[in-house]
Amino acid sequence: MEIKVNFLDNLRLEAKFDDFTVVADQPIRYKGDGSAPGPFDYFLASSALCAAYFVKLYCETRNIPTDNIRLSQNNIVDPENRYNQIFKIQVELPADISAKDRLGILRSIDRCTVKKVVQTGPEFVIEEVENLDADAQALLMPGSAEQAGTYIVGKDLPLEQTIANMSGILAELGMKIEIASWRNIVPNVWSLHIRDAHSPMCFTNGKGATKESALASALGEFIERLNCNFFYNDQFWGEDIANAAFVHYPDERWFKPGPKDALPPEILDEYCLEIYNPDGELLGSHLYDTNSGNTQRGICSLPFVRQSDGEVVYFPSNLIENLFLSNGMSAGNTLAEAQVQCLSEIFERAVKREILEGELALPDVPQEVLAKYPGILAGIQGLEAQGFPVLVKDASLGGEFPVMCVTLMNPRTGGVFASFGAHPSLEVALERSLTELLQGRSFEGLNDLPQPTFEGQAVTEPNNFVEHFIDSSGVVSWRFFSAKADFEFVEWDFSGQGENSNAEEAATLFGILEDMGKEVYMAVYEHIGATACRILVPDYSEIYPVDDLIWDNTNKALLFRADILNLHNLSKVGLRTLAKRLEDSELDDYTDITTLIGVEFDDNTAWGQLTILELKLLIYLALKKFDQAKDLVEAFLQYNDNTVERGLFYQALNVVLEVELDDDLELGDYEVNFRRMFGNERMDAAIGSVDGSVRFYGLTPTSMKLEGLDRHLKLIDSYKKLHMARANVTALSI
């Protein structure tokens, strides 16, 4: 994690990381102002807080209340060497906690990350640099670029060279990549989380049988998501980008809707139109892109090559963003390598959907077949040794598709996790199923898995598949566990041979889709020096329902974005119009404004917690429509998951509105005790919100310029680096 430090007045210091700011000072006796804890005080507190976190985690997974558990830490300083200290952590436990859990709680503290890092002894490297924002590779795994020679199935270059190439590309872009965490809880299963130190919202996870393969996986996913703009999906890219020579890619084209908002004839083809507009309800305005919001330019459309005949077909970027998410995108050392990865994931998700929604029962992989892969078997045995039964299934549907499945059961909670993996090699597909199962997870993380059900509707509900797509945490049918399989086990193999194995495998996978009667469309991206591709298979690789283009399109943001960002400057007419549009939209009141308008706010602010319900409430207060405001305040208080502070403000506002709306009550008769209950600052805000002296309490003014929205501006800055690289490549090719 990158922590940037600013020098403030006197001895005060400010550390900034992610969305947080920590201020440190020195005691007055050391010439400071005593306004904040000192750096060493934060260090001491970190180990105590980390210990308490692991206690809380242990107790929550076992439904043990923590109300009466107390924890403290003291540091005992050696009088002859003040750098030699003993940290004594003590825990006071209630009498009703069992002996087993008492021991478990003490052992949980021993897992404290701060403690383990201190005990291991971190190495400090102190150096001068010309630019703090440079050197992307320096934060990756030590020695990752040394002795290039480790080949794995599916990669056309050694892992070490792959890692060096990709991290070098990111460095050229000006992106400083840091590893936030590693996981290796069973043998031969590694995962990690990487992110852009300057824009932490740009992050990916990687997985593999070794730490090198996991790092290569994470970097590859990072580059694929850069190339395909996935990090910036659904987001407003700002007015500068919206009016630039291009918004998404240099070869994009913009087409304006026809008469009566008809679809432009230049987009899609007949095959796609039958899928995306079967009833003629899809309109041109449904396809304006969310990212620019520039409806005057028309519909931003991206070229894809139809694989059946090489023709270029233009897909609206909005359609891709709304339906496909990250499905069908990949980066590789070569195009063939990227294609194999891309197509494998498409098959993995489509077959997974067919199995889960069809409540199909899969055949077990025989033990003699598993024995051929001792590394994978060791990981499975590691899970079972921890008390998690594991089922290994052939998900090829009778040898038709290159897909495997590893399913974990948690007897402690009754939850299950069905993880799928795909690749032309059965071994690689099986390895991916296992590593996907544990990607980014601790053993405690396996306690949150949903329970299976015989209720078919819960399994086939569209959002269940979305949950499976995001992190495989959706619901699974009990019928999936039937001993009577719907298919025979097949020890399949779609892998290629020799130096051109990836090219052969890509041809095989394309051939499967062709045999199914599917049209396939592909775009290749090489602007940033890495090869990536995006493959669309209409009516097969979508994640969201096609109906979302009409009924739940992300470009609904365009109806609200400008007015919400300019909220403080709207006239009464503007506020009334905005409130009416929100009411007429029939959007869920608990939709957060960040999602609605595609603008990222700091989670720790009122904007970051703001929902449609609360926004309407504040608008009605500003319009002095107190009856409507009172109804929404009551709804807020009944279902509030906002901060405690925000909840107390609305409690105070609720009583002020009660008095305001009752002709028999006078605020002056109650104000003294209201202030004793809620405090002067909170009551001033509540009374001011009613008398009009306070508008939109807690929401700082902003505008379409996005001033003050540092979290979102960091995201835009990240995209501008990518945008500039594309512009430079285009300029050089002219």
Side-chain angles (χ1 to χ4, degrees):
M1 178 174 69
E2 183 176 57
I3 302 171
K4 289 191 172 180
V5 177
N6 296 319
F7 297 93
L8 306 180
D9 56 292
N10 197 11
L11 297 181
R12 294 172 72 245
L13 303 168
E14 176 185 76
K16 287 183 170 290
F17 52 95
D18 295 345
D19 294 328
F20 302 102
T21 299
V22 173
V23 175
D25 199 353
Q26 292 292 332
I28 293 173
R29 64 181 181 276
Y30 295 141
K31 308 300 184 182
D33 299 316
S35 62
F40 190 67
D41 300 326
Y42 282 114
F43 167 67
L44 294 176
S46 69
S47 58
L49 290 169
C50 186
Y53 162 74
F54 278 95
V55 171
K56 183 75 171 177
L57 200 63
Y58 180 93
C59 292
E60 282 194 345
T61 57
R62 292 159 180 81
N63 294 318
I64 300 172
T66 55
D67 297 352
N68 296 316
I69 295 178
R70 299 201 301 163
L71 183 146
S72 72
Q73 173 185 291
N74 289 280
N75 57 313
I76 303 168
V77 184
D78 184 336
E80 296 183 0
N81 180 2
R82 67 190 180 100
Y83 301 118
N84 182 27
Q85 301 190 16
I86 296 172
F87 287 15
K88 180 177 284 189
I89 298 174
Q90 298 176 313
V91 188
E92 181 183 312
L93 301 173
D96 59 351
I97 293 182
S98 69
K100 178 183 176 182
D101 284 328
R102 288 172 182 272
L103 181 59
I105 288 171
L106 294 179
R107 286 177 174 169
S108 73
I109 295 174
D110 196 49
R111 296 177 56 213
C112 167
T113 309
V114 175
K115 167 185 166 296
K116 286 185 176 293
V117 171
V118 171
Q119 286 178 321
T120 302
E123 179 182 349
F124 285 84
V125 177
I126 301 171
E127 61 184 8
E128 179 187 354
V129 296
E130 291 185 7
N131 184 349
L132 284 175
D133 297 334
D135 198 5
Q137 193 176 349
L139 299 180
L140 299 179
M141 189 170 63
S144 60
E146 297 174 4
Q147 300 179 348
T150 307
Y151 281 89
I152 63 171
V153 177
K155 288 292 180 191
D156 287 328
L157 289 177
L159 285 175
E160 296 84 355
Q161 190 175 344
T162 300
I163 292 167
N165 290 347
M166 290 190 291
S167 56
I169 287 167
L170 293 170
E172 284 293 317
L173 281 173
M175 293 186 175
K176 191 171 185 178
I177 306 301
E178 60 184 12
I179 296 177
S181 65
W182 282 99
R183 294 280 187 187
N184 174 222
I185 62 175
V186 298
N188 308 317
V189 178
W190 288 83
S191 68
L192 75 158
H193 178 88
I194 67 171
R195 62 185 187 179
D196 182 352
H198 304 147
S199 179
M201 289 181 62
C202 298
F203 67 85
T204 58
N205 300 301
K207 59 186 184 294
T210 66
K211 54 184 180 294
E212 291 84 4
S213 61
L215 177 56
S217 166
L219 289 169
E221 187 170 292
F222 200 97
I223 286 176
E224 92 185 20
R225 295 187 174 204
L226 282 177
N227 270 299
C228 298
N229 290 342
F230 184 73
F231 288 136
Y232 320 101
N233 242 21
D234 305 340
Q235 304 290 339
F236 177 45
W237 296 349
E239 293 177 323
D240 290 344
I241 296 291
N243 294 294
F246 67 91
V247 173
H248 294 256
Y249 298 98
D251 57 358
E252 70 193 21
R253 291 182 65 186
W254 295 74
F255 304 111
K256 293 194 175 183
K260 298 182 180 179
D261 205 10
L263 298 181
E266 298 92 343
I267 65 171
L268 304 175
D269 57 16
E270 290 301 320
Y271 179 86
C272 292
L273 287 169
E274 288 182 11
I275 295 167
Y276 299 125
N277 192 28
D279 302 316
E281 295 180 329
L282 188 65
L283 302 175
S285 56
H286 289 133
L287 299 176
Y288 291 132
D289 76 302
T290 308
N291 313 109
S292 75
N294 194 339
T295 59
Q296 297 301 311
R297 292 178 82 163
I299 298 167
C300 184
S301 303
L302 310 177
F304 281 73
V305 176
R306 190 166 56 207
Q307 296 302 289
S308 61
D309 59 7
E311 289 295 316
V312 173
V313 177
Y314 281 89
F315 281 75
S317 64
N318 169 282
L319 183 147
I320 299 169
E321 173 190 281
N322 271 278
L323 301 184
F324 291 93
L325 293 183
S326 65
N327 198 24
M329 59 174 68
S330 186
N333 292 299
T334 63
L335 177 58
E337 180 185 312
Q339 287 174 327
V340 170
Q341 172 66 12
C342 204
L343 292 165
S344 295
E345 288 189 351
I346 287 173
F347 281 120
E348 171 197 320
R349 285 146 184 173
V351 171
K352 177 180 184 177
R353 183 172 203 152
E354 182 176 348
I355 291 167
L356 294 174
E357 292 186 351
E359 300 180 88
L360 302 177
L362 303 179
D364 292 318
V365 176
Q367 197 62 33
E368 61 268 22
V369 175
L370 281 180
K372 297 178 182 180
Y373 314 115
I376 296 172
L377 194 56
I380 292 169
Q381 290 169 343
L383 281 170
E384 294 195 324
Q386 293 291 327
F388 299 105
V390 175
L391 308 175
V392 183
K393 302 279 189 178
D394 169 22
S396 69
L397 304 185
E400 188 176 354
F401 302 103
V403 186
M404 296 296 287
C405 175
V406 174
T407 301
L408 176 142
M409 307 172 75
N410 188 342
R412 287 192 288 271
T413 64
V416 300
F417 186 164
S419 175
F420 290 73
H423 188 269
S425 162
L426 186 150
E427 179 182 6
V428 175
L430 184 54
E431 178 188 289
R432 288 180 176 177
S433 299
L434 181 60
T435 54
E436 173 72 24
L437 179 73
L438 295 176
Q439 182 171 272
R441 285 183 168 85
S442 62
F443 287 126
E444 288 83 4
L446 298 173
N447 290 320
D448 297 329
L449 307 178
Q451 299 175 4
T453 179
F454 278 114
E455 178 53 58
Q457 187 174 356
V459 176
T460 58
E461 197 272 323
N463 280 339
N464 186 50
F465 177 64
V466 175
E467 292 297 322
H468 275 290
F469 171 79
I470 293 171
D471 61 5
S472 297
S473 64
V475 178
V476 176
S477 171
W478 268 119
R479 293 177 176 84
F480 176 82
F481 295 93
S482 173
K484 184 179 179 181
D486 292 306
F487 302 89
E488 294 292 329
F489 169 74
V490 176
E491 192 173 357
W492 50 266
D493 184 12
F494 296 87
S495 56
Q497 302 297 323
E499 293 183 2
N500 297 318
S501 60
N502 273 320
E504 291 178 19
E505 290 168 0
T508 298
L509 298 180
F510 277 123
I512 295 173
L513 291 168
E514 184 180 355
D515 291 343
M516 295 170 65
K518 301 294 183 184
E519 285 282 10
V520 180
Y521 305 80
M522 181 174 68
V524 178
Y525 301 116
E526 297 178 309
H527 304 104
I528 64 174
T531 300
C533 67
R534 184 161 203 167
I535 295 176
L536 309 178
V537 188
D539 197 32
Y540 193 70
S541 65
E542 295 89 352
I543 299 302
Y544 281 109
V546 171
D547 285 351
D548 279 7
L549 289 173
I550 296 172
W551 303 112
D552 194 22
N553 196 306
T554 57
N555 74 5
K556 60 182 177 286
L558 308 187
L559 297 172
F560 306 106
R561 181 185 289 154
D563 281 349
I564 290 175
L565 289 174
N566 290 309
L567 185 67
H568 290 78
N569 296 319
L570 290 184
S571 65
K572 286 186 177 180
V573 173
L575 289 174
R576 282 196 294 268
T577 302
L578 175 57
K580 187 175 189 307
R581 282 206 307 273
L582 288 168
E583 295 287 4
D584 292 346
S585 70
E586 298 183 354
L587 292 167
D588 185 343
D589 271 347
Y590 294 94
T591 300
D592 59 79
I593 297 302
T594 290
T595 300
L596 176 64
I597 66 173
V599 173
E600 289 293 329
F601 300 96
D602 186 338
D603 289 339
N604 302 311
T605 64
W607 274 111
Q609 300 284 328
L610 189 66
T611 61
I612 289 176
L613 183 149
E614 188 181 357
L615 176 60
K616 290 194 297 187
L617 188 168
L618 292 170
I619 292 173
Y620 287 138
L621 280 175
L623 293 172
K624 295 190 176 297
K625 293 187 175 183
F626 297 136
D627 286 318
Q628 293 96 320
K630 180 70 165 58
D631 290 341
L632 293 176
V633 168
E634 290 174 355
F636 180 97
L637 292 173
Q638 185 172 359
Y639 301 106
N640 172 46
D641 60 358
N642 207 304
T643 62
V644 172
E645 175 58 36
R646 203 67 175 162
L648 287 169
F649 163 70
Y650 281 113
Q651 285 185 46
L653 179 62
N654 193 44
V655 295
V656 174
L657 286 172
E658 289 272 12
V659 173
E660 175 69 26
L661 292 169
D662 191 325
D663 293 338
D664 296 328
L665 298 177
E666 293 290 339
L667 182 61
D669 296 336
Y670 298 91
E671 185 173 347
V672 170
N673 284 319
F674 283 171
R675 290 183 178 277
R676 294 182 70 185
M677 172 66 79
F678 297 109
N680 286 329
E681 182 179 345
R682 201 173 288 124
M683 280 307 302
D684 287 343
I687 293 171
S689 296
V690 172
D691 68 23
S693 60
V694 174
R695 299 174 83 238
F696 311 114
Y697 175 67
L699 303 182
T700 54
T702 185
S703 74
M704 288 288 282
K705 298 295 184 185
L706 305 169
E707 63 271 18
L709 304 183
D710 291 344
R711 180 181 173 92
H712 194 81
L713 291 173
K714 287 177 182 177
L715 192 68
I716 293 177
D717 285 344
S718 171
Y719 182 67
K720 284 182 176 178
K721 295 173 185 176
L722 187 60
H723 194 270
M724 184 180 298
R726 289 172 178 156
N728 290 340
V729 168
T730 304
L732 290 172
S733 65
I734 296 175

